[in-house]
Amino acid sequence: MAAPPAIPRRGLFIGGGWREPTLGRRIPVINPATEATIGDIPAATAEDVELAVAAARDAFLLDGGSNWSRASGATRAKYLNAIAAKIKEKISFLALLETVDSGKPKDEAVADMEDVAACFEYYAGLAEALDGKQHAPISLPMEKFKTYVLKEPIGVVGLITPWNYPLFMATWKVAPALAAGCTAVLKPSELASLTCLELGAICEEIGLPSGVLNIITGLGPDAGAPIASHPHVDKIAFTGSTETGKRIMTAAAQMVKPVSLELGGKSPLVIFDDVADIDKAVEWAMFGCFFNGGQVCSATSRLLLREKIAERFLHRLVEWVKNIKISDPLEEGCRLGSVVSKGQYEKIKKFISTARSEGATILHGGDRPKHLGKGFFIEPTIIPDVSTSMQIWREEVFGPVICVKVFRTESEAVELANDTHYGLAGGVISDDLERCERIAKVIHSGIVWINCSQPTLVQAPWGGNKRSGFGRELGEWGLENYLSVKQVTRYCKDELYGWYQRPSKL
């Protein structure tokens, strides 16, 4: 088993340097797999937010923007590539930090860090390409005017990110925001902030201009809310719960401030009886709901099975699930670690208890693994034959819990798939690709997977519909989130425009 890392003691990263929070408070860091206190993080308040926003505003405006916001995309790309290179150098250390902070298996954390580096590199490429897209001409049906378009950074952006993929989710926002020329205040979740603070150390190491990225940690009401309502923050990008998203929208609306929101989900995975390789479908069903402990906003936690295949599929699913290695996430081969915190553990247990009280049966799991006496571990849980009125079917659990419903016809499957307030993702597994394409068109979500679940590609758009939020991250769409489009039109003729009559000369 890998040795736990030494936890660096960090302050708030503001204006290119470190400072203790104004009130001197810190929050203990608990390893969710052992329940041991392993360090602490600063607890920022509104006073610290004020300092961070001021540093970001100064960096945005410095020398008329020539230092960052109006520098070439190629200049900004050099810094993004330098961050990516440092991430690669520190992958092992960062992955260990992520594991002890969040409880995810070490192998998953390593993959996350590889994706973090790839994301910074991708947006470095888009930053360079942005230079060639400036002054793009607009074709006009007249010769009197010439028009072109500029793409400019929105300004100072507030980035509020979740605990399930701490550095990875932060990078989805930080990398495109910096590529666009914005300056930023990043506020990660207080439940898992260690790697985001290390990002500050990396920025210091590579010489990122002071104030371009500021990182503050602390509780949502104390540190997150003041960012959302701050008059000098020009945009908010948030990933987290739907309820918190509503509060952020309300705060931003007072200043007509743009927001992009990636919120909750209750995604369906529809599996038809024509699949030739049932084990392949079973593995994707597991990956869709048990990867990262099911703490994934897009988790396909509503499993819809064609009646003819349901019994055989569930039997095989249980056999596969019994084979998952549940252990301390630092152990080799761990495939299910702990959930992130005691609060999350108790919330998931309450969902399972409520399902039982509403008449559901637990086919597998539902408890703490017997061999693990400490830590916030929950067995992968399978709940078949649920009704659509049950809480477990309708609400996001954010844990390793999958509920199952049987359907007879394709139209019934689509109706069940769309029977949700959420619209982040969905999937269909069938050997009939025409059917898959047909269903992909009618599932009401921002993402649809065919014959798989959860592939996340930095080049492709990510985001949802309905109560799963709006706006798109990743790909070129992620960059556009942080750009403002400006029309510039020039009158080209020497003569008067001629709308008004020229007064006679004296």
Side-chain angles (χ1 to χ4, degrees):
M1 186 167 75
I7 309 299
R9 190 180 191 277
R10 301 288 186 194
L12 304 170
F13 187 66
I14 297 176
W18 301 94
R19 58 177 295 133
E20 283 299 304
T22 302
L23 299 183
R25 298 172 185 163
R26 297 185 72 86
I27 300 168
V29 174
I30 309 296
N31 180 340
T34 65
E35 302 183 44
T37 300
I38 57 174
D40 55 34
I41 58 170
T45 55
E47 295 87 346
D48 303 302
V49 170
E50 199 67 43
L51 294 171
V53 172
R57 178 64 60 186
D58 288 347
F60 189 83
L61 298 174
L62 183 64
D63 294 333
S66 63
N67 192 51
W68 185 259
S69 58
R70 297 195 181 279
S72 69
T75 297
R76 296 193 293 270
K78 291 177 184 177
Y79 290 104
L80 296 178
N81 279 322
I83 293 171
K86 283 295 177 185
I87 296 284
K88 289 178 179 179
E89 280 181 25
K90 299 172 185 283
I91 275 182
S92 295
F93 170 66
L94 291 170
L96 288 175
L97 269 190
E98 202 79 292
T99 294
V100 299
D101 202 15
S102 69
K104 68 172 62 196
K106 178 171 64 70
D107 289 348
E108 291 186 20
V110 169
D112 287 356
M113 296 309 124
E114 291 170 347
D115 288 342
V116 166
C119 192
F120 274 108
E121 289 175 336
Y122 175 76
Y123 281 106
L126 289 194
E128 286 194 69
L130 190 58
D131 290 338
K133 295 180 179 179
Q134 299 292 19
H135 295 84
I138 302 294
S139 177
L140 300 175
M142 61 193 76
E143 295 182 357
K144 290 183 177 180
F145 299 101
K146 290 191 182 297
T147 297
Y148 62 86
V149 166
L150 296 175
K151 293 190 174 184
E152 300 179 330
I154 282 179
V156 174
V157 294
L159 313 176
I160 304 174
T161 56
W163 46 258
N164 55 335
Y165 291 90
L167 186 54
F168 191 29
M169 290 284 99
T171 299
W172 282 20
K173 293 173 171 50
V174 170
L178 299 193
C182 295
T183 57
V185 179
L186 168 65
K187 192 277 177 191
S189 168
E190 68 276 10
L191 294 179
S193 296
L194 293 179
T195 50
C196 287
L197 288 171
E198 289 311 298
L199 177 61
I202 287 170
C203 290
E204 184 179 35
E205 203 173 335
I206 62 114
L208 186 73
S210 297
V212 166
L213 178 62
N214 306 273
I215 303 170
I216 63 170
T217 55
L219 302 176
D222 297 336
I227 295 174
S229 61
H230 200 290
H232 295 150
V233 172
D234 301 301
K235 174 193 166 72
I236 297 291
F238 170 75
T239 297
S241 73
T242 299
E243 289 308 310
T244 303
K246 289 177 184 177
R247 291 194 290 273
I248 285 172
M249 281 186 71
T250 300
Q254 309 313 305
M255 288 160 282
V256 200
K257 182 183 302 185
V259 297
S260 51
L261 302 174
E262 203 260 86
L263 307 176
K266 193 70 178 176
S267 302
L269 181 63
V270 183
I271 301 181
F272 285 88
D273 56 320
D274 60 356
V275 290
D277 188 341
I278 195 168
D279 279 353
K280 184 178 172 184
V282 165
E283 186 185 21
W284 279 119
M286 291 169 58
F287 191 83
C289 192
F290 300 143
F291 187 77
N292 203 46
Q295 299 164 120
V296 184
C297 51
S298 59
T300 41
S301 56
R302 291 188 300 137
L303 181 60
L304 295 165
L305 299 175
R306 188 77 175 261
E307 189 177 44
K308 293 177 184 177
I309 202 177
E311 185 176 348
R312 185 161 61 100
F313 190 98
L314 288 174
H315 175 75
R316 206 63 190 129
L317 179 61
V318 170
E319 289 182 330
W320 272 74
V321 166
K322 286 178 178 177
N323 203 40
I324 294 175
K325 180 174 180 178
I326 311 168
S327 69
D328 186 300
L330 291 174
E331 282 190 21
E332 291 299 323
C334 174
R335 286 296 175 265
L336 186 65
S338 68
V339 296
V340 75
S341 67
K342 182 179 181 181
Q344 187 64 15
Y345 172 81
E346 291 174 345
K347 177 185 171 187
I348 297 165
K349 292 281 286 180
K350 182 72 165 63
F351 267 108
I352 296 169
S353 171
T354 300
R356 282 193 174 106
S357 70
E358 290 180 342
T361 57
I362 310 299
L363 180 63
H364 179 83
D367 267 312
R368 167 187 291 280
K370 292 181 175 58
H371 65 288
L372 293 168
K374 270 192 173 183
F376 308 124
F377 293 90
I378 295 179
E379 296 172 306
T381 301
I382 305 167
I383 307 178
D385 302 322
V386 299
S387 73
T388 57
S389 62
M390 287 181 179
Q391 181 196 48
I392 202 74
W393 176 262
R394 307 210 68 81
E395 295 185 23
E396 183 178 45
V397 177
F398 228 65
V401 180
I402 193 166
C403 55
V404 186
K405 194 151 184 63
V406 171
F407 67 90
R408 292 185 176 86
T409 66
E410 183 178 314
S411 60
E412 182 188 4
V414 170
E415 185 178 349
L416 287 167
N418 288 331
D419 180 29
T420 174
H421 293 304
Y422 297 106
L424 181 54
V428 56
I429 296 180
S430 169
D431 287 351
D432 182 345
L433 290 183
E434 286 188 9
R435 167 188 279 153
C436 290
E437 297 288 347
R438 198 163 57 237
I439 288 177
K441 290 178 181 177
V442 295
I443 289 181
H444 300 158
S445 63
I447 304 158
V448 177
W449 296 297
I450 293 176
N451 291 333
C452 58
S453 181
Q454 307 306 313
T456 305
L457 311 167
V458 69
Q459 300 84 2
W462 183 279
N465 306 327
K466 299 191 282 188
R467 294 187 194 175
S468 290
F470 49 82
R472 294 296 181 265
E473 296 190 299
L474 300 182
E476 295 184 7
W477 301 265
L479 183 65
E480 296 293 334
N481 258 339
Y482 301 97
L483 291 170
S484 177
V485 177
K486 177 185 283 184
Q487 175 212 132
V488 180
T489 296
R490 175 170 65 91
Y491 182 61
C492 304
K493 297 297 182 180
D494 292 333
E495 64 269 17
L496 292 172
Y497 186 49
W499 183 256
Y500 299 101
Q501 185 174 354
R502 188 200 294 260
S504 57
K505 293 181 180 179
L506 295 176

